[in-house]
Amino acid sequence: MPISTPSDPVPATDTWTTQPGLSPGTPVFVGERKLDQARIQILDYTRARLDEYNDVNSDDCRRLRASDSVTWVNVGGLHDVGLITEIASVFELHPLTLEDIVNSTQRPKVEEYDDYLFIALKMLRYNAERNAVEIEHISLILGQGFVLTFLEDGGDVFDAVRRRIRLKKGRIRGQGPDYLCYALADAVVDHYFLALEQFGDYIESLDEAILDSPQTSHIQEIHRLKRDAIRVRKAVWPLREEIGFLDKSDSPLIAPETGIYMRDLYDHIVQTIEMVEGYRDILASLHDTSLSTVSQRLNEVMKLLTMIATIFIPLTFIVGVYGMNFRHMPELEWSWGYFLIWGLMILIALGMVIQFKRRGWW
Amino acid sequence: MPISTPSDPVPATDTWTTQPGLSPGTPVFVGERKLDQARIQILDYTRARLDEYNDVNSDDCRRLRASDSVTWVNVGGLHDVGLITEIASVFELHPLTLEDIVNSTQRPKVEEYDDYLFIALKMLRYNAERNAVEIEHISLILGQGFVLTFLEDGGDVFDAVRRRIRLKKGRIRGQGPDYLCYALADAVVDHYFLALEQFGDYIESLDEAILDSPQTSHIQEIHRLKRDAIRVRKAVWPLREEIGFLDKSDSPLIAPETGIYMRDLYDHIVQTIEMVEGYRDILASLHDTSLSTVSQRLNEVMKLLTMIATIFIPLTFIVGVYGMNFRHMPELEWSWGYFLIWGLMILIALGMVIQFKRRGWW
Amino acid sequence: MPISTPSDPVPATDTWTTQPGLSPGTPVFVGERKLDQARIQILDYTRARLDEYNDVNSDDCRRLRASDSVTWVNVGGLHDVGLITEIASVFELHPLTLEDIVNSTQRPKVEEYDDYLFIALKMLRYNAERNAVEIEHISLILGQGFVLTFLEDGGDVFDAVRRRIRLKKGRIRGQGPDYLCYALADAVVDHYFLALEQFGDYIESLDEAILDSPQTSHIQEIHRLKRDAIRVRKAVWPLREEIGFLDKSDSPLIAPETGIYMRDLYDHIVQTIEMVEGYRDILASLHDTSLSTVSQRLNEVMKLLTMIATIFIPLTFIVGVYGMNFRHMPELEWSWGYFLIWGLMILIALGMVIQFKRRGWW
Amino acid sequence: MPISTPSDPVPATDTWTTQPGLSPGTPVFVGERKLDQARIQILDYTRARLDEYNDVNSDDCRRLRASDSVTWVNVGGLHDVGLITEIASVFELHPLTLEDIVNSTQRPKVEEYDDYLFIALKMLRYNAERNAVEIEHISLILGQGFVLTFLEDGGDVFDAVRRRIRLKKGRIRGQGPDYLCYALADAVVDHYFLALEQFGDYIESLDEAILDSPQTSHIQEIHRLKRDAIRVRKAVWPLREEIGFLDKSDSPLIAPETGIYMRDLYDHIVQTIEMVEGYRDILASLHDTSLSTVSQRLNEVMKLLTMIATIFIPLTFIVGVYGMNFRHMPELEWSWGYFLIWGLMILIALGMVIQFKRRGWW
Amino acid sequence: MPISTPSDPVPATDTWTTQPGLSPGTPVFVGERKLDQARIQILDYTRARLDEYNDVNSDDCRRLRASDSVTWVNVGGLHDVGLITEIASVFELHPLTLEDIVNSTQRPKVEEYDDYLFIALKMLRYNAERNAVEIEHISLILGQGFVLTFLEDGGDVFDAVRRRIRLKKGRIRGQGPDYLCYALADAVVDHYFLALEQFGDYIESLDEAILDSPQTSHIQEIHRLKRDAIRVRKAVWPLREEIGFLDKSDSPLIAPETGIYMRDLYDHIVQTIEMVEGYRDILASLHDTSLSTVSQRLNEVMKLLTMIATIFIPLTFIVGVYGMNFRHMPELEWSWGYFLIWGLMILIALGMVIQFKRRGWW
């Protein structure tokens, strides 16, 4: 894919370092490399035809961009900054957009530029082995006649959308790039529900385990889940405002009939946020409950043991008394002294047990 | 009820699966089946006449829709997606609406479409056996001359409204579909109060039980109620914003004189939310109180037991002293030694009890 | 007071039941009956003259309403729904207003109807015996030339206003019904301060009692006060928004020069809310403090007792050693053995006490 | 200072009582008398001249008010309601303003009247002996050509402003009453910083004391400071909104070039609020930390003592065994039995200590 | 640098004291002196040329200000109030601006003056030795053709920007002072991420240490970090509103094409705030977790020790019994009595251990 060096708005690659004070708009890949090799996949379609390309150069891109069809360029792998810079120059992206695409710590946002819309999203995926939610950075760009998507990995998130395009299912083939953009965002948000439901199920199972027999390790697990919930919240929360802004925006890139879908997307995001907030509330309550349950079971044990000790204390005193070596201890001489003492001790023990039971301590 | 396959805006049934990335607007039933057989019931009335239908086909529906009367179609059971799709096609509902009707996890909302208003609500019902609030999904659609309602079960929620229509009670028969829609929503919200009052009574009784004699199991019960309150809050909270929006909206479907009723509905919803928030605050305070009461009663027991032990400790030491076998222990030879020691020990015990009492520990 | 059955907008009395799904606008008395017999009292005044009526029929009401004077109708006792319905029909109140008047669980609100303003308020009264705030429902209606007030009991809240009208004190006699309405609301809000100050004094006294010698029962008292504060907050909070709305409203019923008084009322309500919020914060802090003080005093006791036990443990061991019956125990034969052992034990005890003191534990 | 009785809008003094239901606008002094004798001090200046008066009657006031100069009337002592009523009648203040001036529990606010602006403020003063913040009520009134200030005491807060006027320092002499009013409010807010910094220093020193050696009394001290912070917050918080409102207001009393100073004042108030909020956060964290530190040190002590007890328990058992009086106990006959047992006991004790150390308990 | 005394708007130096009531706009240096000698550094550039000055007098400044180029005056060291007053007079700064520049406790803000924009920022720097975030005060002033920066120290924060200007990297040389101002603010905000990431790493490492083996000192460390987070939050939080305001402002000083960069800056600040809030949430959760882990480990130890004691208590009682000196104790005469008793005791001990294990206590 040998193309000419990037044109003016994109800085030269040799300036790509990470120190602050860097010229704004300098793209620096931040994150861990999830694919060995960055991949580009293009779907170009109208209602009538569909072309797929897997190996393209920038001239192809330029040509497809110019065509009347809807062009969807999907880039997997954000570490190949050179490749992404090329694409950016073909589609005339602003340097700041370029910086946001490759920075996987970028928070979700929607930005209107003169001739395109930039949407940064997070993908949530539940890792059932680690019982943790994994977060990935996704960028969508909606322009005149094209949609660009940038993912950290190959992007099976979008497989279902791809299938719908190929099979002409639903209304997607007859619609413009705005609908495609919505469908892609919707696919991402649908995954949120999937991930959050699994997360919720795990909390549920933890809840049951704790009510059953709380353990110290549960406290630490709850702490871990709380941190996860904080991370997920940070990934989803900003979207509310941003997609709401999109809903109200009058960008010429979004047809009025797509607006209704945007509202639906907004609605889903709000529901996601409510789920996360609900989990946080439940985890907080669970922490308190598990803590108090653990500590109260412990206390109950201590109380029982202490009562046992308390019963024996006077008995041990009594046997001590008759272990004394005084010359004159009349009881010692009595024939039935020993047995009388046993009787006394049994009476005392019984009396204490009865007392404890009556007070509801035992 | 054999009708033609759904027309264009509604996708074919064979695409109904649950994986994400599904074409938006695809109806997928999410929830548990609460009725064996979905049921349709239609009330068609003007001020002068009232017709009821229980078994209808889509042509009947079309005809009733076209008539001048108010047509109320009530569908019980959301699992029969085919049936609902049919009705949707008769009343020309948007695919997204269809999706929201059958998805029982949909959050409450109000949406204005071009020629109808969609209201998603939750029904609250207090289950006195499990002492828990149960939540059901209800959809209301207000169109030109008709109201559609979709419930998970047969919907005795609406029985009172039905009776009022049949008996011509109140003003309902003389009003349009907007008033019917309000009356139905109002019936749902009235049930909120019923459910929440029972919920509140249960919290009240728990409160008394805890102040009386707190137990470890109470903590877990409070945790369960907190989770319930979180669920209820999620079901009611979004309505505030949505019905408030309706109140301010200038939809031609709602006559100005019905607006005042909408304001009343809004007011009831706000009151419901305040009740839930109040319960949450009370539960939080109750958790703290019960926790500290349990732990302090325990501590008091421990303190008492420890004081008993403390009294015996020096006594046991003393009897130990005179159990020693030293050759030269003058006290042992004294005639009154044994009785003197008893006297000493009684003095010590009394002294300690007095000390404890004086310090307010006993 | 036998009048004709209520006219159209008001439903017949036989439909007054409490089940949900009731026709909206049906008045149902909710609350406990606080007066044996509902009472009506009317003050009709201009700057020049003042007439008082205590026993009236609806024709009188109609006549007074039509006159140019300011007519204040005060109804004590909400359980006589028939009576209130009559009055409502004379003053042409909307059925929803009627419902709100008799429902004593109605939250505070302000509603503009076509030709009158409806204000629902709560009255706060501090019960010094139970140390609790009692809440009563009050409705004010401001119409063209008249003010209606509905109270659960006879309403000594308004006595001061009545006296001012009779004595021509202040500016009240020269003003219209809007000023009267303000004066009545102001009298209610002035009572808030009274009730809240007494409430605050009780918290203050509890605070001092706790810092002095905290007890378990204090925790439960704090819980009760927290619940009270939640109730009071619910009764006062909604007024902020509502009276603020009134302040900004341009209702023709409120003369501009009365607006400045409404602003003052708003200001007082905000101050009331801040007081309640302050109490809640203080109660929360007090709960924590009392809890930790109680538990630490207990712990200190336990520590002291444990140290006493710890001192005796080695001593008891030592006397046990010399209580052993081994044939060859050289120390037992020593003449001064017994006294040496006493010396050793005293040394050990002293050493431990010194250690404890030095470490600051004692 | 004998003047005619107050004119119409101000009620006669004999009606000044405290019961609610009082005619609104009735001035009632609420607070504790801080000065024996109320004092009036007037500064009347233009850029060129400055006149000071200390003993004035109302005719003087009227004359000064009518003059072109800037007239600043400072009244110290709010308990002399008669005097304040006089001044109010000279400057034609609204009765509600009069009520707010003498009510020292009035919350901070800004109110625009037809021909003057009323500002109620709180003065904060740190009492280094009691380590508490004291709060005083201050009212500022900005009218056409005059500024009135009312303080609970003589008002050394304003000394610096007075000096600047006398010495012609800064820009104050060349400016109108709006700048004077700003300068006075600014002097008050400057004192906030002073008081809050001392408050913060005390929290800081408490923090260090607690980290050093936490004590039970610290918990109560934190509780006291929390209550103080709540009081201070209530005194400062409302100003934010009010001064912000002033900043945006287009009152003809405030010249545009003074607006920039108002913005600066707003900025200072926001900073003050942030300081208070920060202190509250720190106190909350400090409470938790001190609580857990105290309780953990205690627990450590208990653990140590318990371990000591645990070591002696088996030893005491062993010596008990050889104190038994069985006829046939072979060990007792052994010559080295006693010494062997000592050796065994030392081994057991050592073993346990080693175990404890290895597990990190000791 | 001997220049004429400051002109009118700037007060004379002899009035610089710290007491409140000072003439507003009086610059008073508040903070600790971080540089021995204040330094001025000027960069004056157009796209074509770049001049640097290190030793300037005010006439130079005036000349540079008048020129067409972009003039960046960087002042290091805020304690030399005389010097800063000079510069302020050259660039005609408002006295309030001057006050804000030298007051290092000034909260962040943006203020529009007639012919310049004033931005107060905080610089965050992570001190890896003390594991704490250090905060410094920075002021930016954007005027027609010039940018002024005031720092507490020499300002290596801006080194990267300086380098970019010198090397003509990026777009900075071809842009106006608004872009320079943005670039400088951006450099500061970039440092936020650096500092916060190191802060986050330290929290992370503390988290691991606590989960591994929690200690009492960790609680205090968390307290310290919480206080740090509160300080950082106070330094960053106000910027959100302020920069957002700048984004929406239509100041002629900011070219529309720079607006997009301002939006990006806003976005970064929001992300910073979310990081800080996230850290606060994590610290709160960590506090709870570490507290409960510490206390539960302790409790477990106590439980174990108590169980050991409990096992020995009946055994000690038994040996006490057979240490009694009654004349008639049949068991003592049995030949195998001693060994039977040993057997009994071993049985009891085993039975208790089994019980404990079965109940899951051990």
Side-chain angles (χ1 to χ4, degrees), chain D residues 11-25:
Chain D
T13 17
D14 58 351
T15 64
W16 291 337
T17 57
T18 56
Q19 78 244 29
L22 216 62
S23 180

Short mmCIF file of all heavy atoms in Angstrom, two decimals, chain D residues 11-25:
data_model
loop_
_atom_site.label_atom_id
_atom_site.label_comp_id
_atom_site.label_asym_id
_atom_site.label_seq_id
_atom_site.Cartn_x
_atom_site.Cartn_y
_atom_site.Cartn_z
N PRO D 11 -45.59 49.55 60.55
CA PRO D 11 -46.54 49.40 61.64
C PRO D 11 -46.03 50.01 62.94
O PRO D 11 -44.83 50.20 63.14
CB PRO D 11 -46.68 47.90 61.77
CG PRO D 11 -45.47 47.33 61.13
CD PRO D 11 -44.98 48.31 60.15
N ALA D 12 -46.95 50.32 63.84
CA ALA D 12 -46.59 50.91 65.13
C ALA D 12 -45.86 49.89 65.99
O ALA D 12 -46.08 48.69 65.88
CB ALA D 12 -47.84 51.39 65.84
N THR D 13 -44.97 50.40 66.86
CA THR D 13 -44.11 49.51 67.64
C THR D 13 -44.88 48.57 68.55
O THR D 13 -44.41 47.49 68.85
CB THR D 13 -43.14 50.34 68.53
OG1 THR D 13 -43.66 51.66 68.62
CG2 THR D 13 -41.75 50.33 67.98
N ASP D 14 -46.03 48.98 69.02
CA ASP D 14 -46.74 48.13 69.98
C ASP D 14 -47.21 46.81 69.37
O ASP D 14 -47.67 45.93 70.07
CB ASP D 14 -47.93 48.88 70.59
CG ASP D 14 -48.90 49.35 69.56
OD1 ASP D 14 -48.56 49.24 68.34
OD2 ASP D 14 -49.98 49.81 69.91
N THR D 15 -47.14 46.65 68.08
CA THR D 15 -47.55 45.38 67.48
C THR D 15 -46.36 44.40 67.35
O THR D 15 -46.50 43.34 66.78
CB THR D 15 -48.12 45.58 66.07
OG1 THR D 15 -47.06 46.09 65.24
CG2 THR D 15 -49.28 46.54 66.08
N TRP D 16 -45.21 44.78 67.87
CA TRP D 16 -44.04 43.91 67.66
C TRP D 16 -43.99 42.74 68.63
O TRP D 16 -43.45 42.85 69.72
CB TRP D 16 -42.76 44.71 67.74
CG TRP D 16 -42.62 45.63 66.57
CD1 TRP D 16 -43.20 45.49 65.35
CD2 TRP D 16 -41.87 46.81 66.51
NE1 TRP D 16 -42.88 46.52 64.53
CE2 TRP D 16 -42.05 47.36 65.22
CE3 TRP D 16 -41.05 47.49 67.42
CZ2 TRP D 16 -41.44 48.52 64.81
CZ3 TRP D 16 -40.45 48.65 67.01
CH2 TRP D 16 -40.64 49.16 65.71
N THR D 17 -44.54 41.68 68.23
CA THR D 17 -44.49 40.47 69.03
C THR D 17 -43.98 39.38 68.11
O THR D 17 -43.73 39.63 66.93
CB THR D 17 -45.88 40.12 69.54
OG1 THR D 17 -46.73 39.99 68.39
CG2 THR D 17 -46.44 41.19 70.44
N THR D 18 -43.79 38.17 68.61
CA THR D 18 -43.19 37.15 67.76
C THR D 18 -44.14 36.09 67.24
O THR D 18 -43.73 35.19 66.55
CB THR D 18 -42.07 36.42 68.50
OG1 THR D 18 -42.63 35.90 69.70
CG2 THR D 18 -40.90 37.31 68.80
N GLN D 19 -45.43 36.13 67.61
CA GLN D 19 -46.26 35.01 67.15
C GLN D 19 -46.42 35.01 65.64
O GLN D 19 -46.45 36.07 65.01
CB GLN D 19 -47.62 35.00 67.84
CG GLN D 19 -48.63 36.00 67.31
CD GLN D 19 -48.98 37.00 68.37
OE1 GLN D 19 -48.17 37.31 69.25
NE2 GLN D 19 -50.16 37.54 68.31
N PRO D 20 -46.51 33.79 65.04
CA PRO D 20 -46.73 33.70 63.60
C PRO D 20 -48.10 34.27 63.27
O PRO D 20 -48.96 34.38 64.14
CB PRO D 20 -46.70 32.21 63.31
CG PRO D 20 -46.54 31.52 64.60
CD PRO D 20 -46.44 32.50 65.69
N GLY D 21 -48.29 34.58 62.04
CA GLY D 21 -49.55 35.16 61.63
C GLY D 21 -49.53 36.66 61.79
O GLY D 21 -50.50 37.35 61.53
N LEU D 22 -48.37 37.18 62.21
CA LEU D 22 -48.16 38.60 62.31
C LEU D 22 -48.29 39.21 60.93
O LEU D 22 -47.96 38.60 59.93
CB LEU D 22 -46.72 38.81 62.77
CG LEU D 22 -46.46 39.97 63.70
CD1 LEU D 22 -47.24 39.79 64.98
CD2 LEU D 22 -44.98 40.03 63.99
N SER D 23 -48.74 40.44 60.87
CA SER D 23 -48.83 41.10 59.59
C SER D 23 -47.48 41.05 58.90
O SER D 23 -46.46 41.43 59.48
CB SER D 23 -49.24 42.55 59.83
OG SER D 23 -49.35 43.23 58.61
N PRO D 24 -47.40 40.57 57.66
CA PRO D 24 -46.11 40.51 56.97
C PRO D 24 -45.52 41.89 56.88
O PRO D 24 -46.25 42.86 56.66
CB PRO D 24 -46.48 39.99 55.59
CG PRO D 24 -47.85 39.40 55.72
CD PRO D 24 -48.52 40.13 56.83
N GLY D 25 -44.21 41.98 57.03
CA GLY D 25 -43.54 43.26 56.98
C GLY D 25 -43.42 43.89 58.36
O GLY D 25 -42.95 45.01 58.49
#
